[in-house]
Amino acid sequence: MKEFKSKAIDIFIDEDIKRSKSIGPELIQAIRGSRIAIAFLSMNYASSSWCLNELVLIMKYRKELGLTVMTLFYDVDPTDVKKQTGDFGMAFKETCKGKTKDEIGRWRHALEEVAKIAGYHSSRWENEADMIEIVTTDISNSLNISTGSSDFSSLVGMEAHMKKLEQMLYLDLNDVRMIGIWGPPGIGKTSIARVLYSKYSDSFDLSVFMENVKGYTRPGCSDEHSLKLHLQQQFLSQILNQKDIEVRHLGVVQDRLRNMRVLVVLDDVDQPAQLEAMAKENQWFGPGSRIIVTTQDQRLLKAHGIKDMYKVDFPPPDEAFQIFSMGAFGQTSPKHGFEELAWEATYLSGIHPSGIKSMGSYFRGMSKPEWADALQRLRTSNPDSESLRTHRKLRNRFRNGKQKMMSRMLSRIRRHQIAAAAAKAASVYETSIKEEVDSSADRR
């Protein structure tokens, strides 16, 4: 207790809860409200139906809610826990007497799953104090990592992406699935995959985010086989967190991971050999595994047999405006008086999220006169640029009738009228995007 408190770890111990045949609401609420559950597995653990029912609940929330589970094996072998053998198995058989087949099945499954989690073994420490210090330090570090991050709070439209992709992941199913995320460069594929990974990686046995896979080349790989061996070595080194791992044949990934529930993100894949080396078949990974691939090439996904594909489209006008505003103002809407300037700058930014964000950052901190000067320079600096061609089309439309009047009046209308004016401008922006995409397709 003292070691936990010294590291500002708030712990809940179930010793004070009155034991009964079923788990009560107090314990259910405590587990649901925790970020980390520690399974303290001792020789007598299987003697208690209460402990076994509690473990079933913990493993359920691990899968459904992403609860982080850490294991401490005290004077017991993880293999005996997994297979219910030895003295641990004998205690388990005694507890199973008179229980239903379904209940015993749930206990067995929970024990098998918890034993797969790499944990702490008391036999490796001569001094218990040293073990406790290591365990509490690791728990403290895990809490720091699991604390809700604000890294993704500025990513406009991310919630909509998450909802669509979560429907494709089917995390409650026990099959192995490969999901492809594709779209042009700079559209946000990597950011989307990173948010998914950050949200769900703790609920898998092992996880890895392989960023920029196309960059994993190695001088001296004279043929495709050598390249694949190198890729497998890099992949296993990261997912197992093991340096200097040796890979002598292409079956090592399957040998090591076929019984593990893993989350793998292969980011920016551009060659079939990369997928064949690191995720050739679903059978390489354990039940419940999810493999996410990001790429610019939809054909590569189809060729690999990936059927679940998510296309990342250009942002709609309102999202483009919010992306620009985040860069320019640090919030999803402009400061008062900058609305018209912000809309025009958004048009000049083009249709790619990365370009829109960069343009917003360029304007950050400028005064109104500086905005006006910068916009004028952007209009005239490169008349053949894609963004200015888009802008020219918008300007032509604004010259027509009521739209021309709206453009003249936009700087004078009150704040509560901005939304209606923006909606009209957004309609023009959306049409221009379609024309740009169509003309790009015609040029190809």
Side-chain angles (χ1 to χ4, degrees):
M1 288 289 290
K2 181 178 68 175
E3 289 78 5
F4 283 96
K5 288 182 179 179
S6 69
K7 291 181 171 56
I9 300 171
D10 185 18
I11 61 172
F12 176 89
I13 302 176
D14 65 3
E15 289 177 352
D16 297 329
I17 298 178
K18 185 179 179 180
R19 295 315 200 240
S20 62
K21 291 183 178 180
S22 60
I23 299 293
E26 184 181 357
L27 183 57
I28 292 173
Q29 184 60 38
I31 296 173
R32 285 182 65 94
S34 299
R35 292 211 300 273
I36 295 177
I38 306 167
F40 190 95
L41 298 153
S42 65
M43 193 67 69
N44 296 324
Y45 190 92
S47 300
S48 168
S49 60
W50 170 275
C51 289
L52 293 171
N53 285 330
E54 185 180 24
L55 182 65
V56 169
L57 194 63
I58 288 172
M59 299 309 290
K60 176 178 183 285
Y61 289 148
R62 178 177 186 253
K63 185 175 182 179
E64 294 179 359
L65 304 178
L67 174 66
T68 297
V69 178
M70 302 178 75
T71 54
L72 200 161
F73 299 93
Y74 192 84
D75 288 340
V76 67
D77 193 308
T79 303
D80 287 338
V81 175
K82 182 179 180 180
K83 298 181 178 180
Q84 297 94 57
T85 53
D87 291 340
F88 186 92
M90 291 175 63
F92 179 75
K93 288 177 183 175
E94 282 295 315
T95 307
C96 289
K97 288 181 179 179
K99 305 299 181 184
T100 66
K101 193 173 182 180
D102 287 343
E103 189 170 18
I104 295 170
R106 286 194 296 271
W107 290 347
R108 286 190 184 279
H109 180 70
L111 290 169
E112 288 167 5
E113 291 299 308
V114 78
K116 291 179 185 177
I117 301 172
Y120 307 91
H121 303 257
S122 62
S123 59
R124 295 177 183 173
W125 278 276
E126 293 183 2
N127 188 329
E128 279 193 13
D130 292 340
M131 179 185 73
I132 292 170
E133 175 62 26
I134 292 292
V135 171
T136 53
T137 298
D138 287 350
I139 291 170
S140 178
N141 291 335
S142 294
L143 283 170
N144 293 338
I145 294 170
S146 68
T147 300
S149 173
S150 60
D151 293 349
F152 309 113
S153 60
S154 63
L155 298 178
V156 175
M158 190 57 68
E159 186 177 349
H161 290 306
M162 289 300 102
K163 284 182 179 178
K164 293 173 184 176
L165 277 163
E166 284 164 357
Q167 292 173 357
M168 299 174 70
L169 285 170
Y170 288 101
L171 290 170
D172 56 328
L173 298 182
N174 215 30
D175 59 351
V176 178
R177 287 176 178 263
M178 292 193 188
I179 296 96
I181 301 175
W182 71 281
I187 200 72
K189 303 181 298 293
T190 298
S191 296
I192 292 168
R194 195 176 292 284
V195 173
L196 270 178
Y197 181 81
S198 177
K199 188 173 182 179
Y200 292 111
S201 57
D202 284 343
S203 60
F204 289 79
D205 298 328
L206 295 171
S207 59
V208 63
F209 192 105
M210 297 284 288
E211 189 170 4
N212 190 28
V213 167
K214 67 181 181 183
Y216 280 81
T217 57
R218 179 185 181 185
C221 288
S222 56
D223 54 53
E224 188 174 284
H225 184 74
S226 299
L227 174 63
K228 288 180 179 179
L229 287 174
H230 172 65
L231 287 169
Q232 275 210 12
Q233 182 183 36
Q234 295 295 316
F235 174 69
L236 285 169
S237 177
Q238 289 195 38
I239 197 168
L240 299 175
N241 194 25
Q242 180 180 339
K243 293 181 179 179
D244 303 322
I245 194 167
E246 278 194 41
V247 175
R248 299 185 178 223
H249 61 86
L250 294 177
V252 178
V253 170
Q254 182 177 10
D255 290 345
R256 297 297 299 275
L257 303 181
R258 62 187 171 191
N259 293 318
M260 305 297 290
R261 185 173 182 263
V262 302
L263 175 63
V264 175
V265 176
L266 303 178
D267 173 58
D268 208 2
V269 172
D270 67 348
Q271 295 178 34
Q274 295 157 355
L275 289 176
E276 291 169 7
M278 294 181 281
K280 186 176 182 179
E281 298 175 353
N282 287 3
Q283 290 82 355
W284 282 17
F285 310 100
S289 294
R290 295 295 180 266
I291 318 300
I292 299 170
V293 181
T294 77
T295 182
Q296 298 176 32
D297 190 355
Q298 184 190 22
R299 294 172 299 178
L300 188 148
L301 299 174
K302 289 182 176 179
H304 198 66
I306 298 176
K307 296 178 180 178
D308 295 319
M309 291 183 282
Y310 180 71
K311 181 184 178 183
V312 185
D313 287 316
F314 294 111
D318 59 329
E319 285 187 10
F321 189 58
Q322 291 178 52
I323 292 169
F324 176 85
S325 297
M326 283 298 303
F329 305 103
Q331 57 191 39
T332 55
S333 59
K335 291 180 180 177
H336 180 60
F338 283 82
E339 291 88 350
E340 181 185 4
L341 295 168
W343 271 109
E344 183 172 5
T346 302
Y347 303 147
L348 287 166
S349 303
I351 57 180
H352 287 82
S354 57
I356 297 170
K357 183 179 179 181
S358 296
M359 184 72 85
S361 299
Y362 172 74
F363 280 93
R364 191 159 195 164
M366 286 188 182
S367 64
K368 274 190 179 181
E370 289 172 330
W371 273 68
D373 289 344
L375 286 171
Q376 181 59 34
R377 289 195 302 272
L378 286 168
R379 293 187 205 105
T380 58
S381 61
N382 185 3
D384 294 324
S385 71
E386 176 185 329
S387 60
L388 289 178
R389 287 198 304 272
T390 302
H391 180 65
R392 191 182 300 117
K393 292 174 184 178
L394 292 167
R395 295 285 292 184
N396 289 338
R397 285 162 176 76
F398 273 116
R399 291 193 186 99
N400 296 327
K402 292 181 180 179
Q403 289 177 331
K404 183 178 179 182
M405 184 182 300
M406 186 192 78
S407 181
R408 288 199 308 267
M409 294 176 61
L410 189 58
S411 61
R412 299 195 301 269
I413 59 178
R414 295 186 301 275
R415 187 174 183 84
H416 71 272
Q417 293 173 306
I418 290 296
K424 275 198 175 182
S427 174
V428 176
Y429 173 88
E430 197 166 35
T431 302
S432 297
I433 288 178
K434 186 178 185 302
E435 289 180 1
E436 285 296 318
V437 173
D438 290 345
S439 68
S440 296
D442 292 340
R443 287 197 295 273
R444 289 196 296 269

